[in-house]
Amino acid sequence: MTETSKKSTLFHGIGVLYTGDPEREEIADGALVVEGDTVVWAGERADAPTADRAVDAAGRAVLPGFVDSHAHLVFAGDRTEEFAARMAGRPYSAGGIRTTVAATRAATTPALAANTAALVAEMIAQGTTTMEIKSGYGLTVEDERRSLEIASAFTPETTYLGAHVVPDGDPDAYVRLAAGPMLEACAPHARWVDVFCERGAFDEDQTREILAAGIKAGLRARVHAGQLGEGPGVRVACELGAASADHCTHLSDRDVDLLATSGVVATLLPGAEFSTRSPYPDARRLLDAGVTVALATDCNPGSSFTSSMPFCVALAVREMGMTPLEAVRAATRGGAAALRRGDVGVLRPGARADLVILDAPSYVHLAYRPGVPLVAQVWQAGRRVV
């Protein structure tokens, strides 16, 4: 690390500092000191130490960079017609994924990388500083491997999702491929393994087989569960010690109990419900049961083509029974929990210096003023990127 990069910066004049730290989650008239890429102090402005330079927030709110723990960014093609048809009354099913698979297989690697870069740039501009990126639109050994190689250029949080949907052919043979040669080729480029455990995709036994193989290969598990109806996804996630069960739109009482006692994070993806005109997850039910909840965009070209965490925060408050504080917590610390990260999603000593300055005095404005571009500055690892 260079001498310049280790200079300290004092952020002061903060209207509300949301730290995400359970010990002191909000600080009025707060201040923050960053040294290099790390937070070294957080507290009240009157107690702030001196620093080499200062950034005046001018009464605006500061919060951790958003942590988007569920995104499908490596793809080609467009599904505008499918979206328009849904808005005209056709229900959503998992089958549309195959349309994107065909386009992704046909695309060049530079084209896929460029599209991924554009989506990552959109996310950062809206305050996301940590994102997970899945494969899942290749569904051949080579196309899944190259998808993860592309994703790895943008984030360490890469997920092998060869089990996104069964392409044409024998489902049992495909499960063997996904748990065998495809996994072997993809594991060096992935941190996580995921399965879409849903009707029209993979059943309980298939999900367990692929996840178990991924865990044996050194990957950690996460699961698409309960998007289209109640099913075994949450149970399998909890049995195998997955970090998160994602969607969680349709849950039984037993599912909620398992999530509350297992430590598996329930990652809610309201962009999918918005884009498919489907019922939203009952976040209030989960929070009241003691479940750790995360929010993520589920950015993908079919069922949730948004890269905006502020939009998801607003949806969570308006449609899912969350308070603004709970929604921001889920979009920061909750997302970090879903990725088993303690260094992001919070602003406390030792954390990575990822922060957002809003053009508003409080994070509440993310829900109070939906659709308004409130992200004024984004700092990633101590460096201003927006």
Side-chain angles (χ1 to χ4, degrees):
M1 185 175 288
T2 66
E3 182 178 351
T4 300
S5 67
K6 289 186 70 67
K7 285 186 175 180
S8 58
T9 302
L10 168 66
F11 293 84
H12 66 95
I14 300 171
V16 173
L17 173 61
Y18 173 76
T19 69
D21 186 345
E23 293 186 7
R24 196 175 187 188
E25 202 166 20
E26 294 183 57
I27 303 173
D29 191 22
L32 190 73
V33 178
V34 169
E35 185 173 292
D37 61 359
T38 305
V39 176
V40 296
W41 185 88
E44 294 178 2
R45 174 67 183 95
D47 300 325
T50 59
D52 297 314
R53 59 183 180 179
V55 174
D56 186 355
R60 297 176 292 185
V62 172
L63 63 157
F66 297 119
V67 181
D68 189 345
S69 61
H70 185 125
H72 307 252
L73 304 187
V74 185
F75 65 86
D78 180 90
R79 283 156 67 182
T80 304
E81 291 183 3
E82 177 187 320
F83 175 78
R86 280 204 306 273
M87 296 305 100
R90 192 178 77 188
Y92 173 72
S93 68
I97 292 169
R98 294 181 179 87
T99 303
T100 302
V101 169
T104 302
R105 288 176 177 176
T108 66
T109 297
L112 289 174
N115 191 56
T116 304
L119 291 169
V120 168
E122 284 185 7
M123 287 182 161
I124 292 171
Q126 295 171 93
T128 296
T129 51
T130 301
M131 70 283 296
E132 180 257 21
I133 303 178
K134 304 178 189 295
S135 67
Y137 290 125
L139 307 188
T140 67
V141 172
E142 175 57 25
D143 286 307
E144 285 295 292
R145 183 199 60 76
R146 75 163 175 158
S147 293
L148 285 164
E149 282 192 340
I150 291 167
S152 296
F154 300 97
T155 180
E157 303 298 342
T158 53
T159 298
Y160 165 57
L161 184 59
H164 199 183
V165 71
V166 179
D168 293 336
D170 178 13
D172 291 334
Y174 186 76
V175 169
R176 290 192 296 271
L177 177 71
M182 186 182 288
L183 170 63
E184 184 178 350
C186 291
H189 309 289
R191 184 182 179 207
W192 303 95
V193 58
D194 194 352
V195 176
F196 188 17
C197 183
E198 195 66 70
R199 66 176 186 268
F202 295 86
D203 66 21
E204 178 175 355
D205 291 339
Q206 293 167 335
T207 298
R208 186 177 283 106
E209 180 179 345
I210 294 166
L211 290 177
I215 292 168
K216 186 176 180 181
L219 306 182
R220 294 209 60 178
R222 46 202 326 107
V223 185
H224 284 62
Q227 178 184 7
L228 305 179
E230 289 184 20
V234 166
R235 183 171 68 254
V236 174
C238 294
E239 286 175 5
L240 296 181
S244 67
D246 297 17
H247 286 288
C248 292
T249 309
H250 301 277
L251 300 176
S252 67
D253 290 343
R254 177 60 175 157
D255 289 335
V256 175
D257 289 342
L258 285 170
L259 289 167
T261 57
S262 67
V264 175
V265 175
T267 300
L268 309 183
L269 311 170
E273 279 71 44
F274 177 87
S275 298
T276 60
R277 282 188 177 159
S278 300
Y280 285 89
D282 187 350
R284 184 81 270 137
R285 177 187 182 199
L286 291 164
L287 291 166
D288 289 349
V291 177
T292 299
V293 170
L295 288 175
T297 62
D298 191 21
C299 182
N300 76 83
S303 61
S304 183
F305 204 5
T306 180
S307 55
S308 175
M309 287 291 280
F311 175 63
C312 292
V313 167
L315 285 179
V317 173
R318 174 62 181 83
E319 303 290 348
M320 289 162 43
M322 300 181 82
T323 67
L325 174 60
E326 289 167 339
V328 167
R329 184 186 294 147
T332 53
R333 195 170 84 218
L339 295 175
R340 295 298 189 251
R341 295 279 296 271
D343 62 326
V344 297
V346 293
L347 294 173
R348 63 187 174 200
R352 197 171 77 176
D354 293 349
L355 61 102
V356 173
I357 300 179
L358 298 179
D359 193 12
S362 168
Y363 61 79
V364 175
H365 283 237
L366 291 167
Y368 179 46
R369 303 196 69 207
V372 177
L374 294 177
V375 174
Q377 295 183 26
V378 180
W379 294 69
Q380 196 171 32
R383 183 173 65 90
R384 185 175 176 181
V385 293
V386 174

